[in-house]
């Protein structure tokens, strides 16, 4: 191998592990048994990406020693201010070491030395042997080791662009002349991360200026008497600290470790070991991506021919009556080939007669549809599957000819019309909508296994295959084996051989039936019966009706709106160029950052992102608005561009060609707090803050001239819930007296009468009212309001003094969560908090904020769901033609015949205000308006 082809990558293990863990802290990866795998997942992807993209010839992963180092001997407080390592992260280290071993990569660790010492020693050794060395780390302190053929390889954050730093880049980042000055600048300024003290009062810029003049830390100290003023005094007083700090910051490069080329050379992976680990970690797509066709899904059961019950005990499957007994079952998940079953194809008139004879006698029937697509408003029926006894199911194919399918459904109508049947389904809303498209309504009751699982464990994935693997230890037939993976090449269920689709569809009904029999008792043992049977399960047909109804869209308005926005975007863009004095790609954050911070110098402390670009997000720009008029022009350009692309141009493409309406999908089991979400389109993000953004609501219209839209929303519902749950007398009384709650709050916080409250004071009080329950700090409030941090702190302190019960509620919520591991809404919804007792302050702090706000958000979500159920039933009882068509946060929208406006308004307001009584008699108020479009009705 020629020298120029020899590439050694040395990975700073713990730095990368931390980075991987925290990258997913807000949306953690959790296995089916509740294990957090953030760190394992992120590290695996980083390792594989390096191997695939950079093609190193040699590699090692380097670990810190748990034994004390010389630095701890020199300075007892070295790294003393670091937070405790999260338990999930510590628990991940053995897994990660197994993963590294599976890739056949050596792990290096030497007692008494840190990873940077080992990396520095090996890097210099390997470089002397002709290797190009890359130190993979986000730690810029490694700059002191950088040489002609030694680089820092800084990985991108959350998949962002990586950086390679040579001597030039290191010097530019530090503002120094050569890399040897890295330890000098650290000696002067210290390092808060490692608790290296430096010289108190000397920061990075001052340290760089001193080194530019004096060259080394020693020369700075020697010249201290000649440095005038306070700086000279700081240097003289900080002499000993500076010398110690430089020693602490110096990477040791004579660690007793040798670079053996053959040990570090990349070799064939231990695919069997990687396969086992990826299965344990449930890295299904990652395992398939890394190992390709050699990845085998092989989770073990604990006994031959056994599946696991809910308590982890092995349960041997007894052969069902009239089924051939299995001689042996391999040590893997049960599959269709290994579990005795009888899946019947109903493809003749005689078989259909026999099926109906049995089905009409059942009290519970699991039901599933096979279709040509995932959009229930566009797909066609391919077949129907039914099950009411485990391991036995029926599949009825449907013709591609609509008339034939209609005739089949007519034969099945007596079955669907049975009021005494409980219909069981996984995401049964989809099946209900499919039948609605064929004029069929499911009578009787229903049980949705997806929602049962959601109330039992709100976090994680809940697809049928996932639930089957977790609760039944059974691996269902994958849809990809029938029609291929998602993408342009994916096939259609209509084209699958009948025998294959029969087994696939019947198995779905069979598995869902088994899941129902597991989840039904769990709903009781987990004490979420009220939540499931009164809120989530009854909401399914309501949402099915809403999705089926859809909402009218004024495409002519959207066309004009898009044209107007296009002209305004061009005007705003040109104004930016005029104000900047140059043209550039305004949609490029990189180019925009260079113009704002290098050319125009709007902020000499501008921060860069993990990818090395200047941060130019809205939060950054908002702070710069007072610096230059260009900032407002940029914000206008961005707002109008997003409105045009996301709504004006996109919404017409979502209009259903058959109905001429948009049919959004409401997701009931996604948000752990219980809030509904929506997609295609996402109506939860419809803009409301700016006048131009609110205009998009004009596009949503009533179905015709004889109808209007009625919009009803709750008045400050989350604050009312706060008052009710905290029992705060002052806030409760303000609501009972129907006061302006923000003005009343401002009066109490500022110690004045309500008449004396100014606009700014009310604005500040409103920000505190809404922000405090989401964990907003004085810093956050100051940033939000543009006031000093001391003023923000004073407002918050006074708020808690006046509303002591709210502070008590917040403290009690955190304490309850620490004791139980979850918090609850008034309706009993549980939001689990795995990190509430973490020793890591950052992780624990996030969980504590959720502990405070989740019961509030969740209770409001439960309330509007109950309102939807009540209103839907009342509208049907009154035999009105009005239809509920939208739900967005605390708002409901209805399409109402003009002659029924008063009737429907009364039904809606009564349904919303009476949906759930709040403790302490806190009144619940809803308000309604009407108009031809959503904006006018709001």
């Amino acid at each position: 191998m020629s020298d120029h082809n020899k590439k050694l990558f040395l990975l700073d293990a713990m730095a990368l592990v931390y980075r991987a863990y925290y990258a997913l802290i807000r949306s953690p990866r959790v296995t089916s048994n509740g294990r957090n795998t953030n760190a394992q997942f992120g590290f695996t992807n980083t390792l594989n990406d390096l191997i695939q993209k950079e093609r190193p010839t040699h590699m090692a992963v380097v670990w810190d020693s748990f034994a004390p180092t010389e630095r701890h001997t020199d300075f007892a407080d070295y790294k003393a201010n670091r937070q405790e390592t999260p338990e999930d992260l510590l628990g991940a280290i053995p897994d990660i070491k197994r993963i590294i071993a599976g890739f056949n990569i050596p792990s290096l660790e030497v007692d008494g030395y840190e990873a940077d010492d080992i990396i520095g020693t090996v890097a210099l050794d390997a470089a002397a042997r002709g290797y190009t060395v890359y130190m993979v780390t986000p730690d810029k302190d490694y700059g002191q080791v950088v040489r002609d053929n030694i680089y820092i390889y800084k990985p991108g954050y959350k998949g962002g662009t990586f950086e390679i730093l040579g001597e030039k880049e290191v010097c530019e980042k530090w503002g120094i002349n050569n890399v040897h000055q890295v330890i000098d600048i650290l000696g002067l300024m210290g390092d808060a991360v490692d608790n290296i003290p430096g010289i108190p009062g000397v920061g990075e810029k001052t340290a760089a200026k001193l080194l530019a003049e004096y060259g080394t830390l020693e020369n700075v100290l020697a010249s201290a008497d000649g440095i005038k003023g306070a700086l000279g005094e700081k240097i003289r007083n900080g002499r000993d600290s500076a010398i110690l700090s430089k020693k602490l910051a110096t990477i040791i490069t004579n660690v007793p470790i040798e670079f053996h080329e053959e040990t570090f050379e990349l070799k064939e992976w231990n695919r069997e070991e990687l396969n086992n680990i990826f299965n344990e970690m449930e890295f299904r797509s990652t395992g398939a991506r890394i190992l390709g066709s050699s990845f085998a899904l092989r989770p073990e059961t604990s006994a031959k021919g056994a599946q696991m019950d809910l308590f982890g005990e092995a349960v041997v499957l007894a052969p069902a009556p009239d089924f051939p007994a299995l001689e042996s079952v391999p040590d893997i998940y049960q599959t269709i080939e290994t579990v005795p079953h009888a899946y019947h194809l109903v493809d003749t008139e005689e078989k259909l007669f026999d099926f109906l004879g049995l089905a009409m006698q059942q009290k519970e029937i699991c039901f599933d549809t096979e279709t040509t697509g995932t959009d229930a408003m566009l797909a066609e029926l391919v077949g129907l599957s039914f099950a009411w006894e485990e391991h036995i199911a029926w599949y009825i194919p449907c013709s591609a000819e609509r008339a034939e399918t209609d005739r089949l459904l007519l034969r099945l109508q007596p079955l669907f019309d049975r009021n005494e049947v409980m219909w069981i389904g996984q995401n049964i809303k989809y099946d209900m909508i499919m039948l609605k498209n064929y004029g069929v309504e499911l009578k009787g009751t229903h049980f949705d296994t997806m929602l049962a699982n959601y109330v039992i464990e709100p976090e994680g994935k809940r697809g049928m295959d996932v639930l089957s693997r977790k609760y039944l230890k059974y691996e269902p037939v994958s849809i990809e084996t029938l029609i291929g993976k998602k993408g342009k090449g994916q096939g259609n269920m209509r084209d699958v051989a009948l025998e294959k689709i029969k087994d696939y569809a019947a198995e779905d009904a069979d598995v869902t039936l088994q899941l129902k029999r597991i989840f039904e008792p769990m709903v009781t043992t987990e004490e979420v019966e009220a939540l499931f049977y009164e809120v989530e399960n009854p909401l399914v047909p309501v949402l099915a009706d809403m999705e089926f109804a859809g909402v009218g869209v004024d495409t002519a308005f959207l066309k004009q709106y898009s044209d107007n926005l296009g002209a305004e975007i061009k005007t705003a863009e040109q104004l930016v160029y005029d104000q900047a004095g140059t043209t550039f790609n305004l949609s490029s954050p990189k180019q925009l950052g260079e113009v704002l911070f290098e050319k125009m110098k709007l902020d000499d402390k501008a921060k860069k992102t993990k990818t090395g670009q200047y941060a130019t997000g809205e939060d950054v720009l908002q702070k710069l608005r007072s610096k230059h008029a260009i900032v407002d022009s940029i914000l206008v350009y961005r707002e109008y561009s997003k409105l045009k692309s996301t709504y004006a141009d996109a919404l017409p493409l979502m209009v259903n060609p058959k109905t001429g309406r948009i049919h959004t999908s409401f997701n009931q089991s996604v948000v752990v707090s219980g809030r509904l979400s929506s997609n295609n389109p996402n109506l939860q993000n419809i803009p409301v803050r700016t006048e131009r953004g609110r205009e998009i609501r004009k596009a949503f219209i009533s179905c015709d001239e004889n109808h209007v839209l009625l919009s009803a929303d709750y008045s400050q519902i989350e604050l009312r819930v706060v008052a009710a749950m905290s029992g705060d007398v002052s806030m409760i009384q303000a609501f009972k007296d129907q006061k302006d709650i923000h003005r009343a709050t401002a009066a109490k916080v500022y110690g004045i009468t309500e008449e004396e409250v100014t606009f700014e004071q009310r604005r500040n009080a409103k920000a505190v009212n809404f922000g405090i329950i989401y964990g907003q700090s004085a810093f956050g409030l100051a940033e939000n309001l543009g006031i000093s941090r001391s003023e923000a702190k004073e407002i918050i302190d006074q708020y808690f003094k006046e509303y002591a019960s709210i502070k008590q509620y917040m403290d009690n919520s955190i304490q309850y969560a620490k004791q139980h591991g979850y918090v609850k809404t008034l309706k009993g919804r549980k939001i689990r908090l795995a990190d509430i007792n973490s020793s890591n302050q950052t992780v624990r702090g996030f969980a504590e904020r959720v502990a405070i706000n989740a019961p509030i958000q969740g209770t409001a979500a439960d309330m509007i769901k109950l309102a939807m159920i009540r209103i839907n039933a009342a509208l049907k009882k009154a035999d009105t033609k009005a239809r509920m068509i939208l739900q967005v946060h605390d708002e409901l929208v209805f399409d109402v015949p003009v002659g029924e406006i008063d009737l429907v308004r009364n039904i809606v307001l009564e349904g919303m205000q009476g949906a759930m009584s709040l403790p302490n008699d806190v009144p619940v108020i809803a308000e309604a308006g009407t108009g031809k479009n959503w904006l006018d009705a709001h």
Side-chain angles (χ1 to χ4, degrees):
M1 184 186 301
S2 62
D3 286 352
H4 73 274
N5 286 329
K6 297 195 294 187
K7 293 167 62 176
L8 170 63
F9 277 69
L10 300 170
L11 280 61
D12 183 351
M14 286 307 296
L16 298 176
V17 170
Y18 269 91
R19 197 177 184 84
Y21 177 80
Y22 282 106
L24 296 171
I25 191 66
R26 289 184 178 273
S27 53
R29 289 183 60 91
V30 180
T31 65
S32 57
N33 58 9
R35 187 179 182 186
N36 184 304
T37 58
N38 284 6
Q40 298 94 318
F41 180 76
F43 191 92
T44 299
N45 281 313
T46 296
L47 189 59
N48 184 61
D49 286 349
L50 284 172
I51 294 171
Q52 300 302 329
K53 294 176 182 177
E54 303 301 335
R55 299 295 180 184
T57 59
H58 296 70
M59 182 178 278
V61 181
V62 187
W63 298 85
D64 291 320
S65 165
F66 284 100
T69 68
E70 184 180 332
R71 295 180 180 89
H72 291 93
T73 303
D74 291 338
F75 183 50
D77 289 334
Y78 177 64
K79 294 189 177 181
N81 64 349
R82 288 196 172 182
Q83 296 183 30
E84 288 290 326
T85 304
E87 295 81 355
D88 289 335
L89 192 153
L90 279 176
I93 292 175
D95 297 328
I96 292 172
K97 288 186 174 181
R98 286 179 60 203
I99 291 167
I100 294 165
F103 279 101
N104 262 331
I105 296 169
S107 283
L108 308 181
E109 186 176 332
V110 179
D111 277 350
Y113 295 94
E114 295 184 50
D116 49 2
D117 300 326
I118 301 170
I119 288 175
T121 300
V122 174
L124 291 171
D125 187 0
R129 299 169 187 249
Y131 281 80
T132 301
V133 182
Y134 297 91
M135 302 178 292
V136 184
T137 179
D139 188 349
K140 60 183 180 179
D141 297 1
Y142 280 81
Q144 62 189 278
V145 185
V146 170
R147 302 288 188 272
D148 282 344
N149 53 348
I150 302 177
Y151 302 89
I152 293 176
Y153 186 105
K154 187 177 179 181
Y157 188 62
K158 294 185 178 180
T161 307
F162 64 85
E163 286 184 89
I164 294 179
L165 308 178
E167 291 183 88
K168 175 176 176 292
E169 291 78 12
V170 169
C171 291
E172 287 177 352
K173 280 187 177 292
W174 287 104
I176 56 180
N177 296 322
N178 62 76
V179 296
H180 300 292
Q181 289 180 315
V182 170
I183 52 176
D184 294 296
I185 199 169
L186 287 168
L188 288 166
M189 62 177 279
D191 185 348
V193 174
D194 290 339
N195 203 32
I196 296 175
I199 297 176
V202 174
E204 184 173 344
K205 288 188 177 180
T206 302
K209 288 179 181 177
L210 289 170
L211 292 175
E213 184 172 353
Y214 298 103
T216 66
L217 177 141
E218 289 76 14
N219 289 344
V220 172
L221 297 178
S223 306
D225 290 338
I227 299 175
K228 296 179 181 180
L231 179 59
E233 185 177 353
K234 289 176 183 176
I235 294 171
R236 289 188 291 273
N237 292 337
R239 173 186 176 84
D240 292 342
S241 178
I243 293 171
L244 172 63
S245 297
K246 179 173 179 177
K247 182 180 180 183
L248 293 173
T250 300
I251 291 176
I252 299 168
T253 57
N254 60 352
V255 176
I257 188 170
E258 293 184 15
F259 173 64
H260 296 291
E261 294 185 88
E262 63 278 7
T263 302
F264 287 66
E265 186 174 3
L266 286 185
K267 305 173 182 67
E268 282 292 318
W269 302 343
N270 184 339
R271 291 179 173 270
E272 183 177 356
E273 177 62 9
L274 287 176
N275 193 88
N276 292 335
I277 298 168
F278 293 161
N279 271 282
E280 288 178 29
M281 299 294 104
E282 298 181 8
F283 294 170
R284 303 186 188 283
S285 58
T286 297
R289 178 169 57 85
I290 293 175
L291 297 179
S293 60
S294 65
F295 178 61
L297 189 64
R298 294 202 307 267
E300 295 181 353
T301 55
S302 63
K304 290 277 184 181
Q307 65 178 17
M308 306 296 289
D309 69 9
L310 294 179
F311 304 98
E313 299 294 329
V315 181
V316 178
L317 293 173
D322 302 321
F323 290 156
L326 293 178
E327 294 182 3
S328 64
V329 178
D331 251 354
I332 61 174
Y333 277 144
Q334 303 289 312
T335 65
I336 197 168
E337 290 83 13
T338 60
V339 173
H341 63 275
Y343 294 160
H344 305 287
L345 178 63
V346 181
D347 58 349
T348 67
E349 189 68 26
E350 183 181 1
K351 291 178 181 177
L352 181 62
F353 181 83
D354 292 341
F355 163 77
L356 282 170
L358 292 171
M360 292 294 286
Q361 301 175 40
Q362 309 306 318
K363 298 294 186 183
E364 291 186 0
I365 301 176
C366 188
F367 167 66
D368 188 37
T369 58
E370 295 306 327
T371 65
T372 57
T374 56
D375 186 337
M377 292 301 299
L378 292 174
E380 298 175 1
L381 277 174
V382 174
L384 310 167
S385 55
F386 302 84
W388 49 80
E389 185 176 341
E390 292 183 16
H391 311 305
I392 304 175
W394 285 261
Y395 176 69
I396 307 174
C398 296
S399 171
E401 296 294 328
R402 175 63 187 253
E404 287 294 323
T405 297
D406 286 341
R407 277 193 286 273
L408 171 64
L409 292 173
L410 189 61
R411 291 292 312 278
L412 294 171
Q413 190 74 50
L415 178 61
F416 293 135
D417 282 346
R418 292 183 63 213
N419 289 314
E420 63 274 22
V421 173
M422 173 184 281
W423 295 99
I424 302 161
Q426 168 80 6
N427 187 22
I428 200 170
K429 170 164 68 77
Y430 178 89
D431 307 299
M432 288 178 174
I433 297 172
M434 282 302 307
L435 289 183
K436 281 176 177 291
N437 283 319
Y438 287 81
V440 176
E441 295 279 345
L442 273 185
K443 302 290 179 63
T445 60
H446 63 276
F447 186 106
D448 194 313
T449 52
M450 181 179 73
L451 295 179
N453 176 254
Y454 172 57
V455 298
I456 293 166
E457 46 180 357
E459 308 83 4
K461 298 178 180 178
R462 62 191 88 259
M464 191 206 73
D465 290 7
V466 173
L467 298 179
S468 177
R469 284 190 288 264
K470 178 175 181 179
Y471 289 99
L472 305 177
K473 294 298 180 285
Y474 182 88
E475 182 67 35
V477 175
S478 166
I479 192 169
E480 283 81 8
T481 62
L482 273 67
I483 61 174
K485 295 184 177 180
K486 289 182 179 179
K488 292 182 179 179
Q490 190 174 47
N492 187 300
M493 289 295 279
R494 186 80 77 190
D495 303 323
V496 178
L498 191 55
E499 189 62 28
K500 285 186 176 180
I501 197 172
K502 179 261 291 184
D503 283 343
Y504 171 83
E507 181 187 61
D508 277 1
D510 180 13
V511 167
T512 301
L513 177 70
Q514 294 180 57
L515 289 173
K516 186 264 183 183
R517 292 177 179 175
I518 288 176
F519 293 154
E520 188 173 33
M522 289 182 71
V523 166
T524 300
T525 58
E526 289 294 321
E527 299 178 340
V528 287
E529 305 106 309
L531 183 64
F532 179 69
Y533 290 112
E534 297 174 21
V535 182
E536 298 296 354
N537 205 50
L539 187 63
V540 173
V542 179
L543 295 178
D545 286 345
M546 291 171 64
E547 291 185 25
F548 184 74
V551 59
V553 177
D554 188 342
T555 53
F557 165 79
L558 287 171
K559 175 66 170 63
Q560 185 61 54
Y561 185 58
S562 177
D563 291 343
N564 293 343
L565 285 171
E568 290 168 338
I569 289 166
K570 288 182 179 179
T571 300
E573 184 176 21
Q574 187 57 52
L575 185 56
V576 170
Y577 296 152
D578 292 344
Q579 292 166 328
T582 184
T583 59
F584 58 98
N585 182 358
L586 186 49
S587 298
S588 165
K590 180 177 184 295
Q591 293 185 32
L592 176 61
E594 291 168 353
V595 168
L596 293 180
F597 304 120
E598 293 180 6
K599 181 181 185 297
M600 302 182 71
K601 301 188 183 303
L602 294 190
D603 186 358
D604 58 1
K605 296 180 180 179
K607 295 180 180 179
K608 290 189 175 183
T609 66
K610 301 293 183 179
T611 62
Q613 299 176 4
Y614 287 105
T616 59
E618 184 176 353
D619 57 334
V620 174
L621 294 181
Q622 288 289 350
K623 297 173 190 175
L624 297 175
R625 292 182 69 176
S626 61
K627 298 286 185 70
H628 199 287
I630 192 175
V631 178
D632 281 333
S633 302
I634 294 166
L635 289 170
V636 167
Y637 169 83
R638 285 187 174 178
E639 179 193 359
Y640 291 179
S641 297
K642 182 175 181 180
L643 287 172
K644 187 176 189 301
S645 62
T646 307
Y647 300 106
D649 295 341
L651 286 176
L653 302 177
M654 297 181 183
V655 173
N656 185 294
K658 293 190 293 187
T659 67
R661 298 168 70 82
I662 282 181
H663 301 266
T664 190
S665 295
F666 292 100
N667 307 310
Q668 199 175 344
S669 61
V670 173
V671 185
V672 296
S673 68
R675 279 191 177 275
L676 291 174
S677 65
S678 64
N679 61 298
N680 298 321
N682 179 0
L683 298 179
Q684 314 298 323
N685 286 345
I686 291 288
V688 294
R689 289 192 300 172
T690 67
E691 184 177 351
R692 204 70 173 101
R694 285 191 292 271
E695 275 190 86
I696 195 66
R697 294 188 173 213
K698 286 184 179 178
F700 296 89
I701 58 176
S702 58
C703 60
D704 57 37
E705 290 300 316
N706 299 318
H707 286 70
V708 295
L709 294 188
L710 184 148
S711 169
D713 63 352
Y714 281 115
S715 169
Q716 298 167 331
I717 190 60
E718 290 191 4
L719 282 180
R720 292 174 188 271
V721 173
V722 170
M725 296 181 83
S726 67
D728 189 273
V729 175
S730 296
M731 189 171 280
I732 291 171
Q733 194 60 48
F735 279 123
K736 288 183 176 180
D737 294 341
Q738 299 184 21
K739 289 185 177 182
D740 176 340
I741 191 65
H742 304 311
R743 182 172 294 278
T745 299
K748 294 187 74 66
V749 168
Y750 289 101
I752 56 179
T753 67
E754 292 180 28
E755 291 71 26
E756 294 175 296
V757 172
T758 66
F759 171 82
E760 287 76 15
Q761 289 170 332
R762 184 185 182 280
R763 179 198 63 165
N764 294 352
K766 182 178 180 179
V768 177
N769 271 333
F770 286 121
I772 207 74
I773 56 175
Y774 291 93
Q776 188 173 52
S777 63
F779 176 80
L781 183 63
E783 291 282 301
N784 185 24
L785 296 175
I787 60 178
S788 69
R789 200 177 305 182
S790 60
E791 183 181 352
K793 183 179 184 304
E794 187 177 342
I795 292 173
I796 290 175
D797 290 345
Q798 191 62 27
Y799 182 92
F800 282 141
K801 181 180 178 182
E802 294 295 333
Y803 295 105
S805 297
I806 293 178
K807 181 66 168 67
Q808 188 62 52
Y809 158 77
M810 296 166 68
D811 294 340
N812 290 345
S813 293
I814 292 171
Q815 191 58 39
Y816 184 92
K818 288 180 181 294
Q819 291 176 355
H820 298 87
Y822 61 84
V823 288
K824 292 196 299 185
T825 69
L826 292 179
K827 199 63 180 175
R829 184 185 304 277
K830 295 180 181 179
I831 298 94
R832 303 186 190 281
L833 301 162
D835 298 319
I836 192 65
N837 290 307
S838 173
S839 56
N840 181 274
Q841 183 179 345
T842 302
V843 175
R844 186 178 67 252
F846 178 74
E848 288 175 352
R849 290 192 292 275
V850 175
I852 294 168
N853 66 59
I856 300 165
Q857 262 198 5
T859 294
D862 294 342
M863 183 182 292
I864 199 163
K865 285 180 174 179
L866 285 167
M868 294 167 73
I869 296 165
R870 285 168 56 100
I871 293 167
N872 188 67
L875 290 175
K876 289 185 176 182
K877 184 177 180 181
D879 196 27
T880 84
K881 303 299 181 184
R883 296 181 295 181
M884 192 185 322
I885 57 174
L886 291 177
Q887 188 277 340
V888 179
H889 301 308
D890 302 322
E891 179 181 7
L892 298 175
V893 182
F894 302 80
D895 208 338
V896 183
V898 173
E900 296 181 355
I901 292 176
D902 291 339
L903 170 65
V904 172
R905 180 188 284 112
N906 290 336
I907 288 174
V908 170
L909 293 181
E910 183 180 336
M912 293 179 74
Q913 293 172 169
M916 180 194 295
S917 297
L918 291 178
N920 298 303
D921 296 323
V922 174
V924 175
I925 302 297
E927 299 163 336
T930 58
K932 296 304 294 183
N933 62 61
W934 189 8
L935 181 63
D936 291 346
H938 194 265

